[in-house]
Amino acid sequence: MLLKEKIKISDDIKQLVKKYGKNPDSLLKVLQSVQKSFGYIPDFAMHEIERQLSVSSIDIHQIISFNKFLKRKPKAKNIVMFCNGLRCSGDDQNEIINEIEETFKTKIGETTPDGKFMFKFTNCLGMCHLGPVMTVNDRVYREITKEKALNILKSI
């Protein structure tokens, strides 16, 4: 993060503290405002909030982990989900997951370094007879193979 970005974050948080008050009760409002500005809570913003509100980093982490709408990492442009139901989670899916993690240098649950994809598991999608199933945003892909999955993702 560049120095000018840090200065802007620091100034923005100073304004939020002035607006909401310098007390622990304003922590959630400040975090929500930072989230709205950046789409997530940057590390530097967390340190500035800790410093300017005189709250512990543990308090900040607890609020962020409890509130699912607060994100610690930037949101990916595309959310890719793999069905984790019994029919879909067999050996074929393991091959697909291994190939995707290797190709995109990202583990399930993480966002790719370029911010293009986030890969994650989801509960059964109710398409057991069509598995393995993968969704990209709201589009469903059925009977995927590792080749088919890679071709779909590379075309996005």
Side-chain angles (χ1 to χ4, degrees):
M1 181 173 282
L2 298 173
L3 180 60
K4 68 179 183 176
E5 292 170 318
K6 289 182 177 183
I7 292 169
K8 181 177 179 346
I9 288 172
S10 184
D11 290 344
D12 289 352
I13 291 171
K14 189 180 293 182
Q15 292 303 314
L16 292 169
V17 169
K18 187 183 286 186
K19 178 178 179 179
Y20 296 118
K22 186 177 180 170
N23 59 65
D25 294 336
S26 63
L27 177 57
L28 181 58
K29 290 178 183 175
V30 171
L31 288 169
Q32 288 171 327
S33 296
V34 170
Q35 170 86 24
K36 188 174 181 182
S37 295
F38 294 94
Y40 72 108
I41 314 288
D43 287 338
F44 183 76
M46 285 183 48
H47 296 298
E48 278 300 292
I49 292 167
E50 178 183 357
R51 185 179 68 79
Q52 292 188 35
L53 283 180
S54 300
V55 295
S56 72
S57 61
I58 292 170
D59 290 337
I60 295 171
H61 284 283
Q62 285 177 334
I63 295 285
I64 291 172
S65 62
F66 180 77
N67 292 280
K68 297 302 178 199
F69 58 88
L70 294 174
K71 306 291 181 208
R72 289 279 298 116
K73 297 185 180 198
K75 184 180 174 189
K77 292 179 183 125
N78 300 285
I79 306 299
V80 180
M81 294 193 290
F82 299 94
C83 179
N84 210 18
L86 289 175
R87 167 65 177 91
C88 291
S89 62
D91 291 339
D92 291 342
Q93 186 188 58
N94 290 336
E95 285 183 26
I96 295 164
I97 298 302
N98 290 338
E99 188 69 27
I100 285 173
E101 287 181 338
E102 186 177 312
T103 301
F104 292 95
K105 310 290 186 238
T106 302
K107 296 286 184 193
I108 298 295
E110 297 178 355
T111 300
T112 55
D114 63 2
K116 191 170 182 180
F117 297 107
M118 176 182 209
F119 301 106
K120 55 197 242 181
F121 288 114
T122 186
N123 291 327
C124 182
L125 294 168
M127 300 178 188
C128 301
H129 62 293
L130 300 172
V133 176
M134 172 181 86
T135 65
V136 180
N137 303 320
D138 292 327
R139 185 156 182 207
V140 177
Y141 297 92
R142 58 188 194 189
E143 299 171 336
I144 59 168
T145 62
K146 65 182 179 183
E147 293 81 13
K148 189 174 178 181
L150 286 176
N151 288 336
I152 291 165
L153 296 172
K154 287 179 179 178
S155 72
I156 295 174

